Amino acid sequence: MKKFLKYRKQRDIPVCKTLKIGVIGAGKGVGTTYLAIMIANFCANFRGFKTALVECNDNKDYIKIWNETSINEISTIERNMYDFSYKNIRFISEVTSKKIAQLELNQYHVILFDCSMDSELGLMEFFRCNIRIVVCATQLYKIGWTKKLLSDVKDIPIKAVAFCADKKAKAKIEKDFKRVVKDIPMECNSLCIKPETCNWISQLLELQNE
């Protein structure tokens, strides 16, 4: 992780109009993809932003979306399971640095990166983002990953969130790492979210209501 922090400091990151949001989880199964899709849904369908969601991990969850959704509901030029549009969101997986660079030239308002701690490309893109969100875990068997990740990003601005967090464990994390950990709202379907969840995401991203 330290070499990626060094990479971020050394690299000249240009200022662009595209808002890049990185979401990374403290291990698997903590709600990273759940939150990333929810934010993408908010950006695309509630704010009207041209939005791309990039899978920078090895979970292959977007292919599962492709497989479970009827062809009539999916918009794609060549019916490519690695690059398709659904619910006004462009889902992209199996990415490379070159493909991400090309994506950044396509005038997207928002590009979200669904990142993983064990993905080199995901870590690099996470540090390049304008907004960085860390999904913490408070379960006893996962809290070690949370501590490691928060230690690794202690010197950069991030937003910490957690899903179904244990209050006592969350309070200790907030005290030890001097971070406010916000509770992720519960939604049965991250592609169908309530107005109060939209308000929560807007506040998390610090977007002004128009």
Side-chain angles (χ1 to χ4, degrees):
M1 180 73 79
K2 290 182 180 179
K3 67 178 180 180
F4 297 117
L5 287 169
K6 183 178 180 182
Y7 165 91
R8 176 184 172 272
K9 290 177 181 178
Q10 291 178 345
R11 183 165 179 175
D12 182 21
I13 302 174
V15 177
C16 65
K17 294 181 180 179
T18 301
L19 176 63
K20 289 184 278 191
I21 304 170
V23 184
I24 193 169
K28 293 183 178 180
V30 298
T32 309
T33 297
Y34 167 89
L35 178 61
I37 293 176
M38 201 157 64
I39 294 174
N41 181 27
F42 165 79
C43 292
N45 297 303
F46 290 87
R47 294 304 295 263
F49 297 151
K50 183 180 178 182
T51 303
L53 181 54
V54 182
E55 189 174 41
C56 288
N57 56 60
D58 298 323
N59 297 339
K60 303 187 185 302
D61 287 328
Y62 300 175
I63 296 175
K64 297 171 189 174
I65 294 174
W66 163 271
N67 290 334
E68 296 298 329
T69 308
S70 66
I71 297 300
N72 292 333
E73 293 184 85
I74 288 186
S75 171
T76 180
I77 297 175
E78 298 178 349
R79 292 170 58 169
N80 182 354
M81 69 174 66
Y82 303 113
D83 189 345
F84 62 91
S85 293
Y86 179 63
K87 300 291 186 182
N88 301 316
I89 302 166
R90 184 178 175 187
F91 288 84
I92 305 169
S93 55
E94 299 291 323
V95 294
T96 62
S97 297
K98 182 178 179 180
K99 187 165 185 177
I100 291 173
Q102 292 172 342
L103 183 66
E104 291 173 349
L105 298 175
N106 288 342
Q107 297 183 338
Y108 278 89
H109 298 120
V110 176
I111 301 177
L112 277 115
F113 295 91
D114 181 358
C115 304
S116 167
M117 290 178 67
D118 54 8
S119 167
E120 180 175 325
L121 179 61
L123 285 166
M124 288 182 177
E125 293 305 324
F126 178 77
F127 290 123
R128 291 183 62 225
C129 287
N130 309 104
I131 298 175
R132 307 174 196 89
I133 302 170
V134 172
V135 183
C136 304
T138 58
Q139 296 94 331
L140 189 60
Y141 58 95
K142 289 184 178 179
I143 198 167
W145 287 105
T146 295
K147 293 176 180 178
K148 181 181 186 308
L149 183 54
L150 290 177
S151 296
D152 289 337
V153 300
K154 65 180 180 179
D155 296 325
I156 65 172
I158 61 107
K159 298 174 185 296
V161 298
F163 183 67
C164 296
D166 176 81
K167 291 183 179 179
K168 186 176 180 180
K170 187 178 82 165
K172 190 173 189 312
I173 290 171
E174 291 180 325
K175 180 181 179 181
D176 291 347
F177 293 94
K178 296 179 174 57
R179 303 276 193 183
V180 175
V181 181
K182 296 185 177 182
D183 293 309
I184 301 172
M186 171 76 77
E187 289 285 1
C188 296
N189 183 353
S190 53
L191 286 167
C192 183
I193 57 179
K194 298 185 288 289
E196 50 265 38
T197 299
C198 292
N199 291 334
W200 182 88
I201 295 172
S202 184
Q203 292 174 12
L204 179 70
L205 302 181
E206 299 182 28
L207 297 178
Q208 294 181 352
N209 292 321
E210 296 179 356

